[in-house]
Amino acid sequence: MTGSFTLAYVPGVTPGKWARVWQERLPETSLTLVQVTAAEAAGKVRSGEADAALLRLPGDREGLHAIPLYTETTVVVFPKDHEFAAADELSLQDLKEHVLWQPLDDTLEWDEPPGQPPVERPETTADAIEIVAAGVGLLVVPQSLARLHHRKDLKYVPLSDAPQSRVALSFPIRDENPELVEHMIGIVRGRTVNSTRGPQQEPARKQQQQRRNPAPRQQKQPAKRAKPRRGR
């Protein structure tokens, strides 16, 4: 199969393993990976700039399907010399006396943010990391973002009762998905190439068709007996 497919993904999501499977199964179809911000992801798919996106839920889903793939652990980030440095896990109750930064690109859905409200909201998670590293306040994020912005002077531990984000594959709602979208769905869901639930490579289709509809067996015709020769 020829053509091309553009997959957008938000920071912290690592699409490499799925890209490798795509290359193995569809070597003649180019896959372009484009990193976008959390705020841009849904719009890129709706506008057609991307065929699909790996993004976080909850979030903007207007006109889009979203297939949840996995749920991320939520962690709290703080300086290594912080009073929480010896903790293996924290709860929201532990944060109530501390300033908690909530960047504008935050993907966690809070009923009520814990901790003390900050004087302002940083523009991005990266900006909030810099503020925390300066010794001011804490930051709660999905673990993949804490890893992405890892610094030697910071530490993070799980936050037991915090909201969580889910990573999902999102694509436009249509009556019927394009075949390349179906291929991507099959890959991220871990389907094998011969799965009957998704598009299959042509050789696999033919083999299954042959098994379902075997060629009719030809009956052997009885051998003809040779006529005895008449004596002269």
Side-chain angles (χ1 to χ4, degrees):
M1 180 181 296
T2 58
S4 63
F5 191 90
T6 299
L7 179 66
Y9 65 98
V10 297
V13 175
T14 52
K17 60 181 178 181
W18 294 313
R20 288 190 291 272
V21 176
W22 180 281
Q23 182 61 33
E24 292 169 1
R25 295 187 184 180
L26 302 166
E28 296 182 358
T29 306
S30 64
L31 175 64
T32 302
L33 301 177
V34 180
Q35 182 169 304
V36 297
T37 66
E40 293 174 326
K44 292 288 185 183
V45 179
R46 275 196 293 265
S47 69
E49 295 177 71
D51 297 289
L54 293 167
L55 43 70
R56 289 189 177 86
L57 303 177
D60 180 6
R61 294 179 58 177
E62 183 180 353
L64 301 176
H65 283 300
I67 299 176
L69 303 176
Y70 58 89
T71 300
E72 296 190 280
T73 299
T74 302
V75 301
V76 57
V77 183
F78 49 84
K80 277 195 170 180
D81 58 358
H82 195 273
E83 63 181 275
F84 292 151
D88 294 322
E89 185 178 85
L90 295 167
S91 68
L92 295 179
Q93 182 68 18
D94 296 321
L95 310 185
K96 66 179 183 179
E97 301 300 329
H98 298 270
V99 172
L100 185 67
W101 300 103
Q102 190 179 10
L104 295 177
D105 62 358
D106 184 17
T107 58
L108 297 175
E109 194 170 64
W110 299 93
D111 292 331
E112 183 178 347
Q116 301 300 310
V119 294
E120 61 180 349
R121 295 186 64 181
E123 188 75 23
T124 66
T125 298
D127 294 333
I129 288 285
E130 293 293 331
I131 298 172
V132 173
V136 182
L138 311 173
L139 177 63
V140 176
V141 290
Q143 183 170 284
S144 64
L145 286 178
R147 287 175 176 166
L148 178 66
H149 298 290
H150 175 69
R151 294 172 50 124
K152 293 182 178 180
D153 54 351
L154 294 178
K155 181 181 178 181
Y156 60 86
V157 298
L159 193 57
S160 61
D161 48 357
Q164 296 176 308
S165 75
R166 293 173 296 162
V167 171
L169 177 71
S170 186
F171 49 93
I173 294 174
R174 300 186 179 96
D175 292 336
E176 184 176 354
N177 294 326
E179 188 171 0
L180 290 179
V181 171
E182 288 291 348
H183 273 292
M184 182 57 72
I185 292 170
I187 288 171
V188 299
R189 281 184 160 175
R191 296 175 189 162
T192 64
V193 69
N194 293 330
S195 170
T196 57
R197 296 178 60 193
Q200 302 169 23
Q201 290 181 344
E202 195 62 30
R205 286 198 186 102
K206 289 182 178 179
Q207 290 173 7
Q208 287 194 353
Q209 186 66 29
Q210 289 171 356
R211 285 196 293 268
R212 285 195 294 264
N213 301 308
R217 298 177 61 181
Q218 295 182 351
Q219 295 182 352
K220 293 183 179 180
Q221 298 293 329
K224 294 182 178 179
R225 294 181 181 180
K227 294 182 179 180
R229 293 184 178 181
R230 296 180 178 179
R232 295 182 179 177

